[in-house]
Each structure stands twice: as C-alpha cells, then as structure tokens.
Amino acid sequence: MAMNSVDTSKGRLRGTYIAIMIPIGVAINYIGGLIASSLGLPIYLDSIGTVVVAAIMGPWVGAISGALFNVVSALIGGNIPSALFAICNIGSGLIVGFMAQKGLFKTWWHVVIASILVALWNAATGAPIAMVVYGGIDGNVGTNLMIATMQSIGRDLGSAAFIARIPTNLLDKGIACVIAWIVLMKLPENMKSLNGAKKAA
Amino acid sequence: MIQERIFPTFLKKVTPGPKLWLALGLILSLILVKNTYYAISVMILSIVVIVLEKQFGLFKVILVAMTVLFISMYALHGCIAPNIDKVNDPVMFTIFGIRYYASGFAWATKFYLRVGPMMPSLFVIFLSIDTADLSVLMCKAGIPYNAVFTFIDSFQVITLLNKDMDQIRDAQRSRGLQTEGSLLTRMKAIVPIIVPVVASAIVKVQDQAIAMDTKGFNAKCKKTVYREFSPYKADPYFKWAGIALSVFSVGYKALVSLNVIPAFLTNML
Amino acid sequence: MSDVVIKTEDLVHVYPHGGTRALDGVNLEINKGDVVSIIGQNGSGKTTLVRHFNGLLRPTSGKVYLMGEDTQQKNIADLSRQCGYVFQNPNHQIFCSTVRDELLVAPKNFKFTPEQAKQRLDAVVELMGIGNILDKHPMTLDYTTKKVITIASVLIFNPEVLILDEPTGGLDEVGRRMLSKVIQLVHSEGHTVIIISHDMDYVAENSSRVVMMAKAHILSDSTPDKIFLDADLCKLAQIEPPQISSLDMAISGRQSNVCLSVEDFVKRYAR
C-alpha cells in the first residue's frame, strides 16, 4: 500500500498527527537556531519549523507550533516576557500556511513573497513587543546598531526599532522561508502534505 | 526541564505545584513592583541557588544571554532611550562625543531589572521540575491530555533532534561537507544538515501516530494517573510564598494605579 | 610504517560533558589491506576510537595518524577523503531527492570533475546493483536499500580506508551478502576496511583481524579464531563467540583452529 494513497491525517488520526507535528515544529525551530550558531552564522533560523509545519499541516497548526516555540524558549531561558514574541511566529505560521493551502508556496516567487510578508509582519509586531519587553533595545546586536544609527539621524526609538527590524527579518526570516521551502522540495510526496489540502509543493 | 535526576538536591525534592506558585509570584512581583533592591536580591539569590543546585554549567548559556542583554540595553539606552530630554537631562558622562544620560540609565534599569532577575530565578525553578511530574500536574489541573502531551513532548523532541543533528552533521562532514571557512561556505552547510534532521523527524511521524493510536492516545475515557507526588516539608512554604507574592503584587499595582496608595515600593532609580 | 595506514599512540579521549574517559591510552596500528573488526560492549570505546580516524573527534591527549599524517593538522573534509565513514543510521545521511543526486554529494564536495564523478558513479552502481533506482527518492526506499545507498555514497569517492559502523544492523540476507561482496572487493583492491559490529557471526566470516575493546582499553588484538577461543577474554568483554564456533568447541573440545563459519563446519564434519 503506497503511503501517499492513505491520507491518515484526516479523521481520528489527525489529532494524533497534530500532537506529534507541533512539537516537531518547536524542535526544528530550536535546532535551526543551534545549527546557525554552531556554524557561526549571524542569523537565528528559528522559524524553519513553523514554516515547515504550516506548509504540511495547515496555517493554524503552524501558528500554534510557532507560538509554542516562543513559550518553550521563554521557559527554558527564564525570560517569560519574551513569550510575547509568539505573536510574530503566529503570524509567520498563518501567512505561510494560508499561502501553502492555496498552492502559493511552490515556486521561487512564492517564497520571495512569503519572505517579504513574514519579514514585514515580524518587523511590525516585533518592534512594539521589544518596546514593551525591553524598552526598545534587546540582545540582538545587529538590530541594535541599526536602531542606534537611525536614532542618531533623528528617528524616534519606536520607528527606528521597526525600520531596523525590516532588513534583519528579511534576511533571517527570508533565509528560513527559503530553507523550509528547499526542505519541502526534498521531501517525498507522501510527507509534504498531511492535511488533505492541496499539496505544498 | 530536561535534566537527569542524579542528585536529589533540595529544589528537586519540592513538588512541582508549589514551585510553579513561587515562579508565578516571582514573575508578578518583578513585573508589577518595580523595586531595584528587590530585583537585585532576587538575581543574586537565584545565582546562589543555581550554584548550590550544581547547575552552574548549564546556567552559563543563560549568563551569556543576560550579559549580552545587559551590555546592549545599558550601552544604547543611556544614549537613545525615548525618555531622554537632551536639553535638560543630566549627563552622566561623555565618551567620544556621545552623551550618556542619567534618564537613559534609569530607562535601561527599569527594563533590565524586570527581565534580568527573572532569567536565573525561573531557570533554576523550571530546571528542577521533571517533565513527567509537570504533565501529571497539568492533567490534574484539568488541561486536556492531548494539549499536555503536545506541550511536554516539545521538550523531549528537542533533545532527540539535537542528538540526531549531531549525528547528521558528523555524517555529512564525513562526506566532505565543509562547516568552517567563509560565510558562504557555512551557509551552504545549512541545507545538508537541516534536511535530514527534518526528514528523519517526519519519516517517524506516520509510524508514531499509528503506534500512539494503538496505545489508546485517542481513547475518549478519562486517563489514569499512576504517578503520585511525595510531599516535601518545604512545599507549603514555596506555595504560600508564591501566593503571597502574587496577591501582594497584583493588589499593590491595582491600588497604585487607582491612586489609592502612592507608589512607595517602586524606585527604579 | 609505510604499510601502516592508521596509528594511534597513547590515545586518550575524555568527553567534555560528563567527563567520561572513553579511551584510556589506546595504542593501535592498522595496516594497508587489513579487514579489521572492532568489537566490544556498548560504551567500550569502539565508536569513539574510529571517530578519531577521520577527525570527527580529536584526542584529549596522544596522537592519531592517518596515512602517516597527524590528524590534528588536517580538517575533517581532508581526512574524510582518505577515510570514508558509513554511519549506522542511513536516515542521518540522506537529504537529496534522487538516489543519483545522493551518490554525487561526496564527489561534488571533493571537487571531482564531471567525468571522474560519472566514472565512479557507473562503477558503484554496477557494484551495488542499484541502477534501477537511481531516479527514485531515497526516503521512500526500504531500510536495506537506504543502507546500500549510504555505503555506495561513500564508496563512490574511493577512500583508502572504509569504516562501516554496524553495517549489518537492519539488513536482510540479500543486503548482508551484498555487503560481504563489497568488503571482499574493496579488500582485493588493497584498501583497508574497519568494521564496528555486534554481529559476531559476520565478524568471524568477514574479518582477518579482530580488536576487542572493553572499558576504554584494547583487551586483545588477534585473529578471529584466537579471540573467540579465549573464553575468559570473551567473558571479560561480555562477548558471545559466533554460534558455529561455540558449537565446534563444544563438540570437539578443540583449543585451536575453531570453525568460524557454517561452511567451515560442514567441511570439517560432513565426511
């Protein structure tokens, strides 16, 4: 029996699939960050799991996986207020999940559009969250230097925090979306979509 | 929360419920009652407890994060915080022509002493909680089993995928993958490492789902809990300290917001 | 020294997390053309030892030489070009969409020319009999075939030393026979093969030399029949000799020249 003819993700096993895939998304986000730091890269790569799960299981499961990652990271690091950044990851999951559901996560152009939307969402929501949690300046050295530069030319902290996050998110989330798309490309057909919806790729 | 129970230290003997109450009390008190001396005391006491619990090795990663955050927040907020009045505010010092304002320092302190003490204190509390105990506590609190499983499984899967990642990285390096060198070389190493990590996780999903279902994961009946907590003499102290801190913090903040009492405890410089 | 491909001198390895002393002054020489099996209980230091040969692990103290050169002076990619390592779990290596792409990963990394890569690909495909699956997705294949592909993906760059970590784990009989054929061919071409295995039957049938390890030390380094004859040594290392050897010893009570395979046993007793 070919695996891709059995859509065991529907019906009563779907709940089990969700219960398994959400933690996998959380773990892939975490491992992505570890891979980036072990390779000495100046990016986080902590959204790959959210994007992969959203593309395979749908937007809401991806969003929950992304949010749970931020909650788990906050618990592990003890930095509870940082769990608010779950709002950023929820948006990332919803954007990619809905695009994938409509068959819009297949080509390079789709990935570029997804990256831009995800980056803008993360910048728009990350800036006010950083203001609430850290007063504007967090531990991200690259972003902080850009904020300082923009402040020195007259921008206020709020708008500087937003504008500074656009390029850093375009780079980080963009690379994460590209990598997630490549991962999905390399998966066999029966693993690419477990939600019975249109295949991600 | 992923730790081995080799040494039954003091914190590990305390049952999870009281520890979570204390964690809640600490979170609320640090966020709502902005007192410098209290925050610094929590930070110092937490680090002492971490050393006594023999977790300083694991804590080093958190310490680096705290230090980076400290340097970033104090270095930059002192110059560009939104509360700085560049005309009237006193300047603490000037370096290379850049002015460092006292109000910026206060702004950095306001936020750092909210997050900074939380990190070591919650780290040591959560590290001492066994995930199996936590899942039992969550089930007993009425949270649906599927949700509890999903939450707890996240911690387990991180450890498993971490081990897989090490094996995969070694396997790819054994086939000539370069993981050192220029930025481009290191970027190219991401896909050969992460694809097998993701694929090996997803390959197991279908079999795991069937295995879980055959063991009654989706059974509608109430789940039986076999694990019982052994109460420890310190439990009531943790619990009531946490409840007291929580009630006091919320009450204090409410009364200050309503102008019933002045903010006599808040003194973030 | 010129025939020695791998040499360790007082090799010590202590894992940083937990401080486990996995190797405690190991001295070993492996010659060109040897087919060496390294056996021992889990935690005896087998995998830790062989991971020093291609630089995946570095010595805490002591020296490791590959082809006469100190491994500490070279990076993993350069060492791996001469010392191929086939990992136990094939799922840990596969990441391409077709078997052909998977096989060509190492030649690309090692900068083979397209002609060299094609020549090696054709040779390995013929040797392993995988011509009919080159365009299939490796992750959809059964475990034995995936294992065959991972062995092929290392053989393709023709390393001087081939390390096989638990090669028979999960293999069916066809896979085991194919693996034996590969080992014989690689050995006949003058290459060195190092096998880590718990499968004593396979070790006895395919190795010319066995290194027995226990508790971070080498207990014994000899031919298979001498190793498996020593009951005290096997007990110390918690190793069970091959069944056919135990049967031969029980029947004949012999203290040397024990049977190591079913074929030997049949030849001896079927008169």
Side-chain angles (χ1 to χ4, degrees):
Chain A
M1 179 169 64
M3 290 302 281
N4 58 5
S5 71
V6 176
D7 189 359
T8 48
S9 66
K10 279 190 178 157
R12 64 186 191 84
L13 271 193
R14 177 162 168 79
T16 315
Y17 271 92
I18 290 172
I20 298 170
M21 286 298 291
I22 289 175
I24 285 178
V26 170
I28 293 170
N29 280 347
Y30 201 84
I31 297 301
L34 288 182
I35 291 174
S37 89
S38 78
L39 292 172
L41 300 173
I43 46 178
Y44 289 117
L45 288 189
D46 57 3
S47 308
I48 297 176
T50 307
V51 173
V52 167
V53 171
I56 293 177
M57 292 297 294
W60 299 107
V61 179
I64 294 170
S65 186
L68 186 58
F69 164 70
N70 288 99
V71 170
V72 166
S73 297
L75 290 173
I76 290 175
N79 186 353
I80 298 300
S82 69
L84 282 174
F85 286 101
I87 297 170
C88 302
N89 244 329
I90 288 171
S92 303
L94 290 174
I95 289 168
V96 172
F98 281 119
M99 284 182 71
Q101 236 176 23
K102 304 237 177 294
L104 297 175
F105 200 65
K106 292 183 187 177
T107 66
W108 269 109
W109 275 115
H110 294 154
V111 176
V112 167
I113 292 167
S115 303
I116 292 170
L117 291 174
V118 167
L120 285 173
W121 169 260
N122 276 268
T125 50
I129 293 172
M131 286 297 293
V132 166
V133 175
Y134 301 114
I137 302 293
D138 59 17
N140 185 324
V141 175
T143 310
N144 294 340
L145 288 173
M146 289 188 64
I147 292 173
T149 308
M150 268 183 271
Q151 279 246 291
S152 67
I153 56 170
R155 285 250 168 229
D156 64 284
L157 185 56
S159 61
F162 167 68
I163 296 169
R165 280 182 165 74
I166 293 175
T168 50
N169 275 294
L170 268 173
L171 183 66
D172 187 45
K173 304 296 183 255
I175 291 174
C177 284
V178 168
I179 290 172
W181 178 71
I182 293 173
V183 166
L184 290 165
M185 287 290 112
K186 290 189 180 288
L187 291 178
E189 289 303 313
N190 63 308
M191 290 181 203
K192 282 181 190 169
S193 173
L194 294 176
N195 63 354
K198 282 186 189 174
K199 288 185 183 154
Chain B
M1 293 184 200
I2 304 160
Q3 88 281 11
E4 293 173 4
R5 236 191 219 150
I6 301 171
F7 307 107
T9 56
F10 168 73
L11 260 188
K12 285 175 188 170
K13 288 181 198 166
V14 178
T15 54
K19 282 191 279 201
L20 289 177
W21 273 116
L22 183 63
L24 178 66
L26 284 169
I27 292 168
L28 289 174
S29 60
L30 286 166
I31 291 175
L32 299 176
V33 182
K34 301 180 185 63
N35 186 289
T36 309
Y37 305 108
Y38 171 69
I40 292 174
S41 305
V42 167
M43 195 187 295
I44 292 171
L45 188 63
S46 307
I47 294 174
V48 168
V49 171
I50 286 168
V51 171
L52 291 172
E53 289 282 310
K54 297 182 178 115
Q55 300 294 348
F56 195 79
L58 290 173
F59 176 64
K60 281 182 197 165
V61 175
I62 308 291
L63 189 60
V64 166
M66 284 171 66
T67 308
V68 168
L69 189 64
F70 177 87
I71 294 169
S72 301
M73 288 177 81
Y74 277 90
L76 291 174
H77 274 140
C79 312
I80 60 170
N83 65 336
I84 291 173
D85 179 347
K86 291 189 177 171
V87 173
N88 299 313
D89 280 351
V91 174
M92 285 176 77
F93 57 84
T94 304
I95 187 161
F96 300 119
I98 301 170
R99 292 193 196 124
Y100 195 92
Y101 296 90
S103 51
F105 181 83
W107 180 268
T109 302
K110 174 183 165 188
F111 286 94
Y112 187 76
L113 287 186
R114 181 191 295 172
V115 173
M118 219 183 274
M119 291 167 82
S121 55
L122 297 183
F123 166 80
V124 72
I125 289 175
F126 290 140
L127 194 67
S128 68
I129 297 177
D130 185 69
T131 47
D133 289 344
L134 182 64
S135 65
V136 167
L137 190 71
M138 290 170 77
C139 282
K140 285 185 173 177
I143 299 172
Y145 177 70
N146 285 18
V148 172
F149 173 86
T150 304
F151 177 70
I152 297 296
D153 197 39
S154 303
F155 297 98
Q156 324 276 22
V157 177
I158 286 173
T159 314
L160 292 171
L161 281 197
N162 200 8
K163 281 188 187 162
D164 276 358
M165 183 195 72
D166 288 338
Q167 290 280 343
I168 287 161
R169 192 181 48 218
D170 284 347
Q172 301 298 30
R173 284 157 103 187
S174 299
R175 288 199 292 171
L177 180 73
Q178 294 276 7
T179 55
E180 289 146 16
S182 68
L183 183 63
L184 185 62
T185 303
R186 286 178 280 133
M187 293 285 288
K188 281 188 192 170
I190 299 173
V191 168
I193 295 174
I194 199 139
V195 169
V197 169
V198 175
S200 68
I202 295 177
V203 156
K204 294 177 212 164
V205 166
Q206 286 167 330
D207 289 340
Q208 191 179 347
I210 293 168
M212 283 167 63
D213 201 53
T214 55
K215 291 182 195 174
F217 182 77
N218 284 312
K220 297 293 177 220
C221 55
K222 196 171 177 309
K223 303 283 189 283
T224 314
V225 174
Y226 291 119
R227 202 177 177 105
E228 292 297 332
F229 301 127
S230 312
Y232 187 59
K233 55 189 176 194
D235 287 352
Y237 299 101
F238 273 69
K239 180 178 175 184
W240 289 110
I243 292 173
L245 271 176
S246 305
V247 169
F248 174 78
S249 308
V250 171
Y252 172 79
K253 181 70 179 176
L255 292 173
V256 165
S257 304
L258 293 170
N259 289 321
V260 174
I261 58 166
F264 61 91
L265 282 179
T266 299
N267 73 336
M268 287 295 190
L269 302 178
Chain C
M1 182 76 178
S2 59
D3 268 353
V4 174
V5 294
I6 288 173
K7 181 174 175 173
T8 69
E9 288 177 353
D10 295 322
L11 178 58
V12 172
H13 188 83
V14 179
Y15 281 101
H17 302 293
T20 308
R21 198 174 181 88
L23 295 174
D24 193 8
V26 169
N27 292 289
L28 178 68
E29 280 186 12
I30 297 176
N31 297 312
K32 187 173 162 62
D34 277 354
V35 179
V36 182
S37 285
I38 302 180
I39 64 174
Q41 276 294 297
N42 289 337
S44 58
K46 311 185 294 293
T47 305
T48 306
L49 174 62
V50 298
R51 283 183 179 220
H52 281 83
F53 300 162
N54 69 346
L56 286 174
L57 291 175
R58 302 292 183 177
T60 306
S61 69
K63 294 276 188 200
V64 180
Y65 298 93
L66 175 68
M67 311 302 291
E69 292 176 319
D70 187 350
T71 57
Q72 301 240 55
Q73 309 302 323
K74 296 180 100 169
N75 66 25
I76 295 171
D78 292 337
L79 291 167
S80 296
R81 178 66 184 88
Q82 295 169 309
C83 183
Y85 195 129
V86 179
F87 280 69
Q88 188 175 351
N89 187 344
N91 290 323
H92 285 166
Q93 276 186 244
I94 290 169
F95 76 99
C96 294
S97 310
T98 65
V99 171
R100 181 183 285 105
D101 289 343
E102 192 65 45
L103 295 178
L104 290 173
V105 165
K108 278 188 194 152
N109 286 336
F110 292 130
K111 310 232 184 317
F112 279 34
T113 63
E115 295 75 29
Q116 285 172 321
K118 181 160 188 333
Q119 189 189 32
R120 286 301 305 158
L121 178 69
D122 291 341
V124 157
V125 163
E126 194 189 329
L127 171 67
M128 313 292 280
I130 51 176
N132 58 333
I133 56 168
L134 283 178
D135 295 314
K136 293 206 171 168
H137 199 303
M139 288 177 214
T140 60
L141 301 170
D142 62 271
Y143 190 85
T144 296
T145 312
K146 280 190 215 174
K147 200 119 185 183
V148 166
I149 290 165
T150 53
I151 295 171
S153 69
V154 172
L155 279 180
I156 195 166
F157 60 90
N158 208 18
E160 189 59 45
V161 178
L162 177 66
I163 299 174
L164 301 163
D165 193 343
E166 296 291 352
T168 57
L171 278 189
D172 57 20
E173 188 53 34
V174 170
R176 287 167 69 97
R177 279 198 227 118
M178 185 277 311
L179 183 64
S180 295
K181 187 176 97 173
V182 164
I183 292 172
Q184 279 164 24
L185 183 75
V186 168
H187 171 57
S188 69
E189 288 176 355
H191 298 302
T192 307
V193 181
I194 300 170
I195 304 168
I196 301 173
S197 184
H198 287 121
D199 186 341
M200 295 305 128
D201 296 316
Y202 197 81
V203 162
E205 287 172 20
N206 290 278
S207 316
S208 57
R209 180 178 158 197
V210 175
V211 173
M212 182 186 274
M213 292 190 71
K215 293 183 185 169
H217 291 100
I218 291 179
L219 285 187
S220 183
D221 180 355
S222 185
T223 54
D225 57 337
K226 291 198 175 83
I227 292 262
F228 294 128
L229 265 176
D230 193 333
D232 292 333
L233 201 64
C234 289
K235 197 174 170 185
L236 190 62
Q238 297 180 51
I239 295 285
E240 282 293 325
Q243 286 193 328
I244 204 68
S245 306
S246 301
L247 181 62
D248 187 21
M249 284 189 276
I251 291 173
S252 62
R254 65 179 74 246
Q255 296 297 316
S256 66
N257 204 19
V258 69
C259 293
L260 294 172
S261 67
V262 171
E263 287 76 23
D264 288 346
F265 187 87
V266 167
K267 270 188 210 161
R268 184 167 291 169
Y269 289 98
R271 286 185 194 135

